Each structure stands twice: as C-alpha cells, then as structure tokens.
Amino acid sequence: MGHIVTDKTREQWQIVFFITASIYLCGAIFCWFFGISFPSVMAIWSKWAPVYERSSMGNVTYTGIYIGGIIALLLSGVLAVKWGWESIFYFFVNHPSIVTLKN
C-alpha cells in the first residue's frame, strides 16, 4: 500500500498553507488598522470642525468612503475589460501617487 500524500505533495501543501496563513495575517492586520481609523476620524472632526458642521462633516466622510468603494468596483470592471485584469492593480497602485504629487 502506497501513501496517499507523497513527500512532494506534502511540501507543496506546506507552501500553500504558508501563503494562505500569510494572506489571513495581512487581512487581520488591515482590518485592525481599518477598525481604529473610523473612531479616529470622528475624534479628529470633534476637535477641528465647527460645532454646527460636525455631523455634516462626519456624514460626508463616511459616505465618501463607501462611494469610493463603489466607484472602484465599477472602474475595476471597465479596466479589466479594456486592458486586462492586471491594469486594475497598476491603476490602483499608481493612482494615489499621482493624486498626491498633483497636490
């Protein structure tokens, strides 16, 4: 009787496990930073915004976050159809740099 899992496939599964664990770890770190950013934004607005504009500024901030996600999803589809799926990554990596240098 032979073994179902050979040494070669065992090594391959270890690599797959390492990559998967790394992706989950990066996701957990991202979620942790994203989770503390929302209360931080409201703390900043509570100190800097005028009293009668605080709620409006907070609403615009949170609405902009979700609208940005919707626009990114729609734009990703257009980029993938016209220039291939790789263009999505090129655009979203380079776009923040261009906007930062422009200002």
Side-chain angles (χ1 to χ4, degrees), residues 2-16:
H3 294 285
I4 295 174
V5 178
T6 63
D7 289 334
K8 185 176 182 182
T9 57
R10 182 175 293 140
E11 290 173 4
Q12 289 172 346
W13 278 110
Q14 287 175 347
I15 293 170
V16 169

Side-chain angles (χ1 to χ4, degrees), residues 15-25:
I15 293 170
V16 169
F17 175 77
F18 177 73
I19 292 171
T20 305
S22 300
I23 290 171
Y24 280 122
L25 181 64

Side-chain angles (χ1 to χ4, degrees), residues 27-45:
I29 292 169
F30 174 78
C31 290
W32 185 76
F33 281 109
F34 197 66
I36 62 173
S37 67
F38 279 111
S40 301
V41 169
M42 291 310 288
I44 290 170
W45 282 134

Side-chain angles (χ1 to χ4, degrees), residues 30 34-35 37-39 41-42 57-75 92:
F30 174 78
F34 197 66
S37 67
F38 279 111
V41 169
M42 291 310 288
M57 293 177 106
N59 289 335
V60 168
T61 301
Y62 287 125
T63 303
I65 291 169
Y66 294 113
I67 288 176
I70 292 169
I71 291 171
L73 285 172
L74 295 173
L75 188 59
F92 286 109

Side-chain angles (χ1 to χ4, degrees), residues 53-92:
E53 296 180 12
R54 286 182 189 162
S55 61
S56 298
M57 293 177 106
N59 289 335
V60 168
T61 301
Y62 287 125
T63 303
I65 291 169
Y66 294 113
I67 288 176
I70 292 169
I71 291 171
L73 285 172
L74 295 173
L75 188 59
S76 295
V78 172
L79 290 171
V81 168
K82 288 197 174 227
W83 294 290
W85 64 269
E86 298 93 351
S87 66
I88 298 169
F89 298 100
Y90 294 135
F91 178 78
F92 286 109

